[in-house]
Amino acid sequence: MNIRVILGLVQRYSLLFVRNPVRGFELVFWPAMELLVWGFLTMFIQKQTTGDFALFIRFLIGATIFWDVLFRAQMGVAISFLEDMWTRNLLNLFAAPIRLREYLAATACMGLLRVTVVVVVMSLLALGLYAFNLFDLEWSLVPFFALLMVFGFSLGMISISLILRWGQAAESLAWAVPFMIQPFSAVFYSVDTLPKVMQHVAWCLPSTYVFEGMREIVRTGAMDWNSLWIAAGINIGFLFISGAIFYWMFSNARKLGLLTKIATQ
Amino acid sequence: MAYPILRTRNLSKSFGETLAVDNLSLALRRGEILGLLGANGAGKTTAMQMMLGLIKPTSGSIEIFRLNFEQHRIHILSRINFSSTYANLPNNLTVWQNLRVFSRLYGVKRVREKAEEMMNLFDIEHLRNRISGQLSSGESTRLNLCKAFINDPELLLLDEPTASLDPDIADKVRTLINRLRKERNLSILYTSHNMRDIETICDRIIFLHNGSIIVEGSSDEIKRHFRQKSLEDVFIHIARDGKVVDPLSPEKL
Ligand SMILES: Nc1ncnc2c1ncn2[C@@H]1O[C@H](COP(=O)(O)OP(=O)(O)OP(=O)(O)O)[C@@H](O)[C@H]1O
Ligand SMILES: [Mg+2]
C-alpha cells in the first residue's frame, strides 16, 4: 500500500466537492429530506392515533441515520468508480502505477468522508427537530457504524463488479444494490415482522444485527455484544466474498477487453 | 547495443471471434521512436493497451525494461506513461488540479514544481485554472501530454497523439516530442494516421495488418521496397492489397 497514491486518489475525488458547491449540497440534501419526511410522518401518525409513539419515532430517526451510514459508504465506493467512468478517466487511472487495493482503500476513504458529513448534518437536524440525540447511544455507535460502513464497502465492491461486467447498462443496478438488502435488513421494523423465510435471510446480513441492536439500546439501554460479534463475523465473510468478486471481475474485464470498453464508450 | 526497452513475443489477443493482435513480436530500442502503422482495426490500440496492462493478452509475453510485465506491473507502470485522444483526464477538475493529482499517482517527488514544469513545457500555463472539460481538443491533447511526461518516463506509448491538432500545433508537438526524446534518450511507441507525423518522427516503422506485422523498416526502406513514392501510397497499397504479402513471414528490411 502506497499512502501517497491513496491520498492522490482521495484528492482527485474530494476536489470535486470543493470545486462544485452543488455537489456538497446534494450530499446532504437527500439525507436531510429523508429525515424530514420520515420524522414528520411519524409525528403526524402520533397525532392521529392514541398510541404511544415516543419510542417509535426514536426507532425511525435512528434507523434513517443508520441506513444512511450504510448507503453513503456504498456510494463512496461506487460513485468514485462511476465518476472515473463518466469522465472517461479509467484508462489513465489504471495505466498509472496504482494497485487495486490502493484504489479500493481510496474509495473506502471517500465513503468514510461522505458518512462523516452526512452523520454530522443528520444528527444535528434530528436533535433540532425531534430532540433525538444520536450521541445518547454513546460508545455503541462505534461498533454499529463500523459494521455498517464495512458492509456498505462490500456492497460498493459488488456495485463496481456489476458495472465492470455489464458496463453502463448496469449503472442503475449499481445504485440499487443497497436497496436489495434493505427489506431484509429490518431497517425500519423489527425482524419478527418479516415472514419466516425472509427472517432466515435477514439473519445472514450483518446490517440486520445492527438495526436490531440499535432498537434494543434505544428501548432498554442494553447492548447485546454477542450478536455484534456474530455480525462482525458475517461482515468479514461478506468483505472477503465481495473483494474476491471484485478482483475476479476486474481480471475478467481485462481479459475480455471490457475495461477499455467501458472506459471509452 | 543494449537490450531492448520493450519486447513482445508472439503477443496475441482475440476478442471472441476477432483476432485483434496476432503473434506480434517486436522490440523497441532505447532512444528509438517506433511507429505502428495500420488501417483502422489493425490492432495498434489493442497492442498498446496490452503493454499498459489494460487488456490481458490471450497468449505471448511482454517485457519492459527486461522485466516480465505481468509480474512487475506496478514497477513498470511507474517508469512508463501514455497518452491518447480517447483517454481523458477528469474533465471536472482544472488543469492544475489534474496535474497535481497525477503527479501524486505517479509518485512524483516535488508535485508542484513538476506540474509547473509540465505546463511550461507544453505551453499551457495560461490555462491552469481552466476546467479540463472546457479545453479545446488541441489544448486537452497538450494537457494529456503533460500527464504523459509527468513521471519522466523512460518509455512512452502515444496513441494518435496529434489526431486533433491543427498543423501548426501538430508540428510544434512533434518537434517537442523529438527534442525531449533526444534530451532524455526516451523510447517511444507511436501510432498515427498522419503519414507526415510518422515520416518526420519515427526512426523505424512497423506495418500491422489484421493484427500481425507485414513489414518493418525505415520509412525510406519501406517506400523503396513497395516501389511507392510516399508512405501514404504504401499504406493504401497494404490496406487494399494486404493479403498479397504473406503475414506469417513478415518482411524484414
Ligand atoms: N475492448 C474490445 N472488445 C472487443 N473488441 C475489441 C476491443 N478493442 C478492440 N477490439 C477489436 O479489435 C480489433 C483491433 O482494434 P484496435 O482498436 O486495436 O485497432 P486500431 O489499429 O487501433 O484501429 P484505429 O486505427 O481505428 O484506432 C478491431 O476489430 C476491434 O473491433
Ligand atoms: Mg486505435
Side-chain angles (χ1 to χ4, degrees):
Chain A
M1 287 273 212
N2 184 338
I3 298 295
R4 286 239 298 263
V5 168
I6 299 174
L7 286 179
L9 286 169
V10 169
Q11 182 184 35
R12 179 247 180 281
Y13 300 120
S14 42
L15 275 172
L16 295 174
F17 292 97
V18 181
R19 241 199 45 69
N20 195 340
V22 175
R23 272 175 195 266
F25 176 71
E26 188 205 41
L27 179 64
V28 295
F29 176 79
W30 295 113
M33 289 304 122
E34 252 169 70
L35 201 61
L36 289 181
V37 171
W38 284 115
F40 288 128
L41 175 70
T42 32
M43 285 166 96
F44 173 71
I45 296 174
Q46 188 168 11
K47 268 193 214 144
Q48 301 294 313
T49 56
T50 51
D52 178 16
F53 273 85
L55 207 54
F56 183 63
I57 192 168
R58 295 174 66 75
F59 287 168
L60 209 58
I61 304 296
T64 311
I65 298 176
F66 272 49
W67 171 254
D68 255 75
V69 172
L70 180 117
F71 186 42
R72 303 298 143 180
Q74 182 266 347
M75 295 248 290
V77 178
I79 301 259
S80 301
F81 184 82
L82 284 171
E83 199 76 64
D84 290 319
M85 188 175 89
W86 292 329
T87 57
R88 306 218 300 170
N89 177 44
L90 283 171
L91 294 189
N92 274 315
L93 214 55
F94 289 112
I98 298 175
R99 293 178 181 86
L100 276 186
R101 52 179 186 275
E102 289 160 353
Y103 185 79
L104 289 175
T107 62
C109 289
M110 288 315 294
L112 183 64
L113 285 177
R114 276 170 188 267
V115 168
T116 309
V117 173
V118 167
V119 166
V120 167
V121 171
M122 286 179 99
S123 57
L124 288 177
L125 270 178
L127 190 63
L129 291 170
Y130 316 113
F132 175 90
N133 188 356
L134 181 70
F135 297 95
D136 280 348
L137 294 173
E138 292 176 3
W139 287 109
S140 60
L141 278 178
V142 177
F144 282 158
F145 278 19
L147 286 171
L148 288 174
M149 276 195 289
V150 171
F151 192 43
F153 180 54
S154 301
L155 295 180
M157 287 196 287
I158 300 282
S159 300
I160 301 183
S161 305
L162 291 173
I163 301 167
L164 278 171
R165 182 63 192 82
W166 285 286
Q168 289 194 340
E171 211 180 296
S172 49
L173 213 58
W175 288 96
V177 165
F179 293 99
M180 291 175 198
I181 58 115
Q182 194 184 39
F184 298 97
S185 295
V187 182
F188 299 110
Y189 37 78
S190 65
V191 179
D192 51 32
T193 320
L194 291 170
K196 207 77 213 142
V197 196
M198 281 174 83
Q199 287 188 25
H200 292 306
V201 182
W203 290 119
C204 297
L205 300 170
S207 40
T208 309
Y209 297 82
V210 174
F211 288 105
E212 285 286 288
M214 183 269 294
R215 280 187 290 268
E216 192 58 31
I217 288 205
V218 169
R219 187 162 46 219
T220 66
M223 177 89 154
D224 180 3
W225 284 99
N226 225 6
S227 70
L228 273 194
W229 283 117
I230 300 175
I234 301 176
N235 222 358
I236 290 170
F238 266 104
L239 190 65
F240 272 100
I241 293 170
S242 37
I245 292 176
F246 173 79
Y247 270 81
W248 178 57
M249 281 301 180
F250 198 88
S251 143
N252 195 50
R254 280 181 65 218
K255 237 179 252 160
L256 300 180
L258 297 171
L259 183 62
T260 56
K261 211 180 213 164
I262 61 166
T264 52
Q265 73 189 353
Chain B
M1 191 202 74
Y3 61 90
I5 289 286
L6 163 74
R7 179 193 283 283
T8 69
R9 288 195 177 91
N10 307 320
L11 193 64
S12 295
K13 180 70 205 177
S14 43
F15 298 108
E17 301 280 280
T18 319
L19 190 54
V21 173
D22 184 10
N23 249 317
L24 178 68
S25 298
L26 60 78
L28 173 60
R29 299 177 208 119
R30 186 177 285 281
E32 182 185 38
I33 302 188
L34 176 61
L36 267 188
L37 269 186
N40 292 133
K44 309 177 292 291
T45 299
T46 305
M48 273 195 182
Q49 288 175 337
M50 285 193 279
M51 297 166 195
L52 291 161
L54 298 167
I55 290 178
K56 196 174 187 319
T58 306
S59 62
S61 68
I62 299 169
E63 253 176 42
I64 297 179
F65 311 127
R66 275 210 294 198
L67 299 168
N68 179 285
F69 186 84
E70 284 292 323
Q71 282 157 17
H72 299 89
R73 196 174 70 90
I74 296 297
H75 172 80
I76 289 172
L77 287 179
S78 70
R79 291 169 64 189
I80 74 178
N81 212 319
F82 98 111
S83 168
S84 134
T85 37
Y86 55 74
N88 297 349
L89 297 180
N91 60 17
N92 37 21
L93 298 185
T94 65
V95 166
W96 170 244
Q97 290 170 339
N98 265 320
L99 290 178
R100 266 169 50 211
V101 166
F102 275 87
S103 312
R104 291 234 158 77
L105 298 186
Y106 275 93
V108 171
K109 291 272 150 48
R110 299 189 329 281
V111 169
R112 280 165 186 277
E113 282 95 330
K114 198 69 201 178
E116 213 58 74
E117 182 195 328
M118 287 301 119
M119 287 193 299
N120 265 314
L121 195 57
F122 288 94
D123 206 13
I124 55 166
E125 310 100 311
H126 59 292
L127 302 172
R128 98 177 26 230
N129 292 321
R130 278 268 213 102
I131 302 299
S132 309
Q134 293 168 0
L135 299 177
S136 78
S137 50
E139 289 164 346
S140 78
T141 301
R142 279 184 283 162
L143 172 59
N144 280 339
L145 286 167
C146 285
K147 184 233 90 172
F149 277 92
I150 206 141
N151 59 332
D152 296 321
E154 295 159 65
L155 166 66
L156 206 50
L157 307 178
L158 301 177
D159 199 359
E160 304 189 38
T162 57
S164 53
L165 301 179
D166 73 45
D168 172 45
I169 300 284
D171 183 62
K172 281 185 182 150
V173 166
R174 269 196 305 268
T175 312
L176 186 57
I177 291 177
N178 220 351
R179 198 193 87 206
L180 291 171
R181 176 270 285 256
K182 287 194 180 110
E183 281 173 13
R184 305 175 179 205
N185 205 16
L186 190 64
S187 316
I188 303 179
L189 189 63
Y190 196 102
T191 81
S192 175
H193 287 300
N194 180 337
M195 298 306 132
R196 180 76 184 280
D197 250 25
I198 299 280
E199 294 219 61
T200 50
I201 207 172
C202 296
D203 305 310
R204 201 156 52 92
I205 299 168
I206 283 180
F207 256 102
L208 283 185
H209 187 75
N210 291 337
S212 52
I213 299 179
I214 290 234
V215 62
E216 72 177 278
S218 74
S219 138
D220 286 336
E221 287 167 342
I222 289 179
K223 277 187 287 190
R224 229 178 297 132
H225 177 77
F226 285 96
R227 294 197 189 86
Q228 303 285 347
K229 280 197 293 297
S230 69
L231 212 51
E232 199 155 328
D233 293 333
V234 176
F235 188 103
I236 293 170
H237 173 80
I238 293 178
R240 296 192 184 156
D241 217 13
K243 288 179 197 76
V244 173
V245 191
D246 179 10
L248 289 179
S249 53
E251 299 178 39
K252 292 253 188 216
L253 299 173

